[in-house]
Each structure stands twice: as C-alpha cells, then as structure tokens.
Amino acid sequence: MTDQTPPAETTPEIPAALTAAPGYQVRRLYQAYLAVWGREVDPVLTGPQFAVLQAVEANPGRDQRSMAAAVSLDTSTMADVARRLEIRGLLARRPDAADGRRKLLYLTDAGSDALREANDRARKLDKILLESFGEAERAPFMATLQALADHWERLAEGS
C-alpha cells in the first residue's frame, strides 16, 4: 500500500463551499487588513481604538454608550477600548455631572497627537487598499461595502 499523504509543503485546496461563502471572504479580508494595519499604520493602536479616537475628536464630551453606537462597538467592548486608551493617556473619561454612572469622553493632548499621526498613515493605507480599483470604481465599491455592513448589522441585531 502506498502512502497518499501529500507532502507537508503543499497547501491544501480550499473547498468551493468556503470560497463561495461571503463570511469566509470577509474573514480573509479582515485578517489581511489587521496585518497591513499593524505594519502600515500602528502596531499598538488598534482599528477600534483609532475609530474611538476619531469619534471622540469629532464629538468631545459625548457619553461612552453613544460613542459605542457611533463606531459600531458593543458597550462592553467600548468600555474595554476606552479603558485601554485612558491607561495609555490618549483619552480622558470623566463622570457626567448629572449622572455619575455615565462616562463622558475627551481626547487628551497625547490622544490628539496620536490620532493625527495615525490618521495620516491610515489615509495612506486607504489608498493602498483601494489601489486595485480605478478611480471611478472606488465610490461605488465603498457604497456597496457600506450597504453590506449596514445589512449585516441589522441581521446581527435581529431586525
């Protein structure tokens, strides 16, 4: 009997059922995005942290819960992200005078600096990520991505 085990250096064929699954392709995109983000933008500042910093810069003094909704994070993830940013000195969380349980978010000077530096690199990354599309294809592609994300979020919420 002959051994039919393929050599270890070959990559197994991906089943067609996987390549036809949108979730599988989205996971591939996300894994690749995380790797490129860490290399091109910041190996420490995560995408969700960056999103929170951007949202806080645009809406200083808003509460943590509304910021979570603005950047599509659940409240427990948002609390963890905000805590980590606060520990790093990039974000200040202050109790709301009217309701001490609510935390209001503000960028620190270090947070503004980190956001400005990361934002320049993130915009360059955006260009790299979309370079395989012609200029005329980019806006429709982004509209499709947004529509897909909106639809999948509604599915996740059960609506």
Side-chain angles (χ1 to χ4, degrees):
M1 181 189 247
T2 60
D3 183 8
Q4 297 193 3
T5 305
E9 66 274 356
T10 63
T11 302
E13 186 175 320
I14 300 169
L18 276 180
T19 60
Y24 174 75
Q25 299 300 347
V26 168
R27 188 195 59 77
R28 287 183 59 217
L29 281 170
Y30 188 63
Q31 289 297 116
Y33 174 74
L34 290 176
V36 176
W37 173 276
R39 186 180 67 235
E40 299 290 332
V41 179
D42 194 308
V44 178
L45 185 70
T46 66
Q49 290 172 347
F50 177 75
V52 168
L53 291 178
Q54 282 196 311
V56 171
E57 179 185 54
N59 304 281
R62 296 291 303 268
D63 69 285
Q64 200 166 284
R65 182 178 297 269
S66 65
M67 288 297 193
V71 296
S72 298
L73 292 176
D74 62 74
T75 55
S76 62
T77 301
M78 178 63 185
D80 183 56
V81 167
R83 183 182 51 77
R84 289 173 188 264
L85 290 170
E86 183 179 39
I87 289 168
R88 290 181 53 201
L90 304 178
L91 190 69
R93 293 190 303 167
R94 300 183 189 134
D96 183 350
D99 181 354
R101 296 171 297 174
R102 290 180 59 207
K103 301 295 183 208
L104 307 181
L105 304 179
Y106 301 88
L107 285 185
T108 63
D109 289 342
S112 293
D113 293 344
L115 178 59
R116 184 174 41 259
E117 292 171 15
N119 195 47
D120 291 342
R121 292 187 300 271
R123 299 299 67 86
K124 289 177 186 170
L125 176 58
D126 290 345
K127 290 178 183 174
I128 292 168
L129 293 173
L130 296 175
E131 69 188 2
S132 64
F133 294 93
E135 193 67 38
E137 297 171 302
R138 291 178 188 164
F141 175 72
M142 290 304 299
T144 300
L145 276 181
Q146 183 170 350
L148 186 61
D150 291 347
H151 175 65
W152 286 22
E153 283 179 346
R154 284 191 301 275
L155 291 173
E157 293 166 358
S159 342

